[in-house]
Amino acid sequence: MRSEVRWKLCWESDLELADHVELAEFFRKTYGPTGVFNAKPFSGSQSWAGARPELRAIGYDSSGVAAHMGLLRRFIKVDGVDLLVAELGLYGVRPDLEGLGISHSIHALSPTLQELQVPFAFGTVRPELRKHVERFGRRGPVTVLSGISVRSTLPHARVDLPPTRVEDPLVIVLPVGRSMSDWPTGATIDRNGPEL
């Protein structure tokens, strides 16, 4: 029987070192099974991989961190049109709680998204997660877009790699302060920074 998950919203500056250590361990265990490279950014006490979130929804149960979703407000460009979004990312669920669902994380963040007065929440996921995301989309006003190139900067400038990368993930859009009809149409999104 699963214990009940309690959600806590934490601004980044309110986290203590012990929180970062616990979150880093959670991400290593959660992302590690998908590949050693995916767990590598979370060495020591680093609890983020690319851009650092400004707000986190952290689910706890009797075993510690159960789930996590990060949020970062930023301006992206959709085919050159500037657009304020709350980027959602750094999502994880402890393996023994599969089925807890991304919808629980979004539900925990929903009142805060309204308070932040952003027009949209935005995120990207690997195409392999299409069925998972589409199941979530059936429960709420979420739109899943494909065929869009997303340009991001690398988290660290390196002399052996270009400073940006372009991927073709699934794009997730959640209308918050405006309707989906106000989302600009376009085939490219420039994140203007590293992925969350």
Side-chain angles (χ1 to χ4, degrees), residues 13-133:
S13 59
D14 292 334
L15 293 174
E16 302 290 332
L17 178 59
D19 297 317
H20 287 290
V21 169
E22 183 179 28
L23 288 167
E25 181 181 353
F26 164 77
F27 286 120
R28 285 192 300 271
K29 289 180 179 176
T30 302
Y31 289 5
T34 64
V36 174
F37 180 79
N38 295 327
K40 188 176 179 180
F42 306 104
S43 62
S45 60
Q46 184 165 317
S47 63
W48 63 94
R52 192 166 175 174
E54 64 177 307
L55 181 70
R56 297 171 187 250
I58 307 170
Y60 293 94
D61 67 4
S62 60
S63 299
V65 177
H68 180 280
M69 173 78 75
L71 178 151
L72 175 65
R73 286 173 287 187
R74 67 174 4 150
F75 279 91
I76 63 172
K77 289 187 180 194
V78 181
D79 273 1
V81 176
D82 281 329
L83 184 64
L84 173 65
V85 296
E87 182 170 355
L88 303 177
L90 204 53
Y91 172 70
V93 174
R94 206 173 58 224
D96 64 306
L97 295 174
E98 289 298 325
L100 179 64
I102 193 171
S103 60
H104 293 278
S105 303
I106 297 289
H107 181 70
L109 280 171
S110 287
T112 302
L113 287 169
Q114 295 294 330
E115 289 171 19
L116 294 174
Q117 298 182 351
V118 293
F120 300 99
F122 151 85
T124 59
V125 296
R126 298 183 323 267
E128 295 81 13
L129 295 175
R130 177 180 287 280
K131 287 184 181 179
H132 175 73
V133 172

